[in-house]
Amino acid sequence: MRKKVTKAIFPVAGLGTRFLPATKSVPKEIMTLVDRPLVQYAIDEARAAGIKEFLFVTSRGKSALEDYFDHNPILEQELRKKGKDDLLETLKSTNMESGAIAYIRQHKALGLGHAVWCARRLIGNEPFAVMLPDDVIAAEKPCLQQMVEAYAETGGNMVAAMEVPPEKASSYGVLDVAEDMGAVVSARGMVEKPAPGTEPSNLAVIGRYILEPSVLRNLNKMKQGAGGEIQLTDAIAEDISAGKPVYGYRFRGQRFDCGSKSGFLQATVAFALARDELRDDLSRYLTEVIHAKQAAE
C-alpha cells in the first residue's frame, strides 16, 4: 500500500522583485487576490488534498508571512464583542495548529531545487508535495487533490502539466512524453527552459508536484542546471534516467501566473467575478470601461 501524501513544501523565499515597490516591505505571498493572500489559496488547496504538515522555505524579511498564520487574540476578541461571527469563521482558515507548520530558512537564492532540498530533514523517507503559491489554480476540485487521487493509482513522481504555446515553452520545464494516456502522461525526460525550437513538447510543468524521496537524494548532489541554479526539474529527470516512473498530470482548472503583474490582475478579476456579492458591480464597471475604450477609438 502506498504511503499517503501528508507533507507539502512551499518555497516562498523569493524577493518578488517584479512587484516592487510593494514587496519592499510586504512578502509577495501575502499580497491579496480580492481579500485572501496568495498563500491562503495554496494552503486551502493543500488541506483539501489531505496535507497535514506545511513546510515553508523562507528567507529574510518574511516575518509577516509567519505572523499571518498565527492567532490574533485581540482581533478575535473585538470581532466576538461586535458579534461578527462570519468574520470570526473566516479567520479560522488562517490559523494553523501548533506543530502543523514549520519554517526553514534558505540563506542563498540557488534555485527551486535548492529550496526543496532545504526541507529534506523534515520530509524523511516519505512522498511529499511541492506547491508554488505563485501558481493559483481555479478548479472545481482543487488541483493537488486531483493529483493525489491520480498518484494513488500510479505512484512514482507526478507533476502538474498544461499545454502552452510553443513560443512560450522556453519559460518552463517541459515534458518529453513517452506515452499519452489522456489526463496522465508518462515522461521519458524533462528539460528545464529549453532553447526556442528545441522543446520536446508543449506540455509544460506547472507549480504542483508529488515527489518521491529519491528526488531529495538527487538534489544532494547539488548539480547546477539552467541559469546556474539547482533545478528541481533536473533532479526529477534523474529519476527517469534511473528507471523510475515520472508522470505528467493534465489538471482540470484554470491556472493564473500570479508571479507576473498581468497574471495577478487577471486572477483578481476572475476570482472577484466568481463572488456573488461582487459580480454585478464589477461586471458593470468592466462593461463601462470597454465601451468607453471602444468609443474613444
Side-chain angles (χ1 to χ4, degrees):
M1 185 176 177
R2 293 190 181 92
K3 290 184 178 179
K4 289 187 176 180
V5 181
T6 60
K7 297 180 180 181
I9 299 173
F10 301 81
V12 293
L15 297 176
T17 53
R18 283 185 282 183
F19 285 87
L20 284 170
T23 48
K24 178 182 178 182
S25 60
V26 178
K28 178 182 62 179
E29 297 79 20
I30 59 172
M31 291 176 64
T32 57
L33 294 179
V34 189
D35 54 6
R36 291 165 62 201
L38 288 176
V39 71
Q40 185 67 54
Y41 289 90
I43 288 291
D44 292 344
E45 182 180 331
R47 283 171 167 160
I51 299 300
K52 304 298 183 186
E53 296 182 48
F54 305 82
L55 314 177
F56 285 82
V57 181
T58 68
S59 60
R60 182 184 299 275
K62 299 285 184 174
S63 58
L65 173 67
E66 298 179 15
D67 290 342
Y68 174 76
F69 291 112
D70 206 348
H71 289 259
N72 189 327
I74 295 175
L75 176 59
E76 292 173 11
Q77 182 179 343
E78 284 300 309
L79 292 175
R80 198 172 290 111
K81 188 187 302 182
K82 295 176 180 178
K84 296 186 176 180
D85 296 335
D86 54 337
L87 291 179
L88 272 171
E89 193 64 28
T90 298
L91 277 186
K92 284 184 180 180
S93 65
T94 72
N95 297 335
M96 303 289 278
E97 295 179 9
S98 297
I101 193 166
Y103 301 97
I104 305 105
R105 280 287 182 98
Q106 183 186 21
H107 296 298
K108 295 181 180 179
L110 298 177
L112 176 58
H114 181 262
V116 171
W117 174 84
C118 287
R120 66 199 181 283
R121 291 191 177 92
L122 297 180
I123 294 297
N125 196 37
E126 300 179 37
F128 60 98
V130 177
M131 301 186 69
L132 308 188
D134 276 359
D135 280 337
V136 177
I137 299 172
E140 187 173 336
K141 177 182 287 187
C143 177
L144 190 64
Q145 184 180 351
Q146 296 176 41
M147 293 176 66
V148 165
E149 291 173 1
Y151 170 81
E153 300 295 325
T154 64
N157 296 297
M158 180 173 287
V159 300
M162 62 178 273
E163 276 87 7
V164 298
E167 65 271 15
K168 292 188 177 181
S170 60
S171 300
Y172 296 88
V174 178
L175 294 174
D176 185 358
V177 177
E179 184 181 2
D180 192 330
M181 298 167 280
V184 176
V185 303
S186 63
R188 67 166 66 92
M190 296 176 69
V191 183
E192 182 65 29
K193 295 181 173 63
T198 67
E199 58 277 357
S201 74
N202 71 330
L203 199 57
V205 177
I206 303 303
R208 301 289 186 274
Y209 307 77
I210 296 176
L211 303 175
E212 295 291 325
S214 54
V215 172
L216 293 174
R217 292 192 288 272
N218 297 338
L219 289 170
N220 274 332
K221 301 170 186 176
M222 292 291 157
K223 292 182 179 178
Q224 291 186 354
E229 296 183 334
I230 298 165
Q231 298 290 350
L232 182 59
T233 300
D234 294 343
I236 299 170
E238 196 170 333
D239 260 15
I240 298 175
S241 299
K244 296 173 183 174
V246 172
Y247 301 97
Y249 181 78
R250 289 188 178 98
F251 58 90
R252 301 179 300 281
Q254 184 177 6
R255 174 252 189 177
F256 297 93
D257 177 11
C258 290
S260 71
K261 292 176 185 176
S262 61
F264 187 90
L265 291 171
Q266 290 166 23
T268 299
V269 172
F271 279 92
L273 289 174
R275 298 270 289 267
D276 292 340
E277 75 276 21
L278 300 174
R279 184 183 302 113
D280 291 345
D281 283 347
L282 183 56
S283 295
R284 190 178 306 112
Y285 171 73
L286 292 173
T287 301
E288 291 172 357
V289 169
I290 293 169
H291 286 166
K293 186 174 186 301
Q294 289 172 341
E297 293 174 348

